Amino acid sequence: MRNKEPPYVYDRSRLPEILTVAEMATFMRASEQTVRNRIKEGKLAAIVDDKVIRIKRKDALRYLGLEESA
């Protein structure tokens, strides 16, 4: 039985266009701090505006090696 995880955890076609750090962490099955660290290290592209961090779906999939087919 599946937990109450968002549908995009099992179906990446339902992944939002823009993700929050929390959504990316859920998708990666990692902590939010891990996501922040990858952004700070330059390994994961993100839009950072003051304290607001957003990640584009294409960048999330690229980071995980799951790039969308064009």
Side-chain angles (χ1 to χ4, degrees):
M1 182 189 289
R2 293 183 179 170
N3 295 332
K4 294 183 180 182
E5 293 175 325
Y8 57 79
V9 171
Y10 301 101
D11 180 4
R12 71 175 178 229
S13 69
R14 298 178 73 178
L15 194 64
E17 274 298 315
I18 303 291
L19 291 91
T20 64
V21 170
E23 290 170 332
M24 183 64 183
T26 299
F27 186 58
M28 287 175 52
R29 296 179 185 256
S31 71
E32 291 182 30
Q33 189 59 52
T34 297
V35 174
R36 285 185 174 84
N37 289 344
R38 296 307 176 266
I39 292 167
K40 187 176 180 180
E41 294 164 357
K43 295 179 180 179
L44 174 59
I47 302 162
V48 181
D49 182 22
D50 196 23
K51 292 186 178 185
V52 177
I53 300 172
R54 297 293 182 256
I55 303 147
K56 293 180 182 179
R57 175 175 51 198
K58 67 177 185 159
D59 293 327
L61 295 175
R62 183 178 304 125
Y63 171 76
L64 295 170
L66 304 170
E67 295 173 292
E68 297 177 311
S69 54

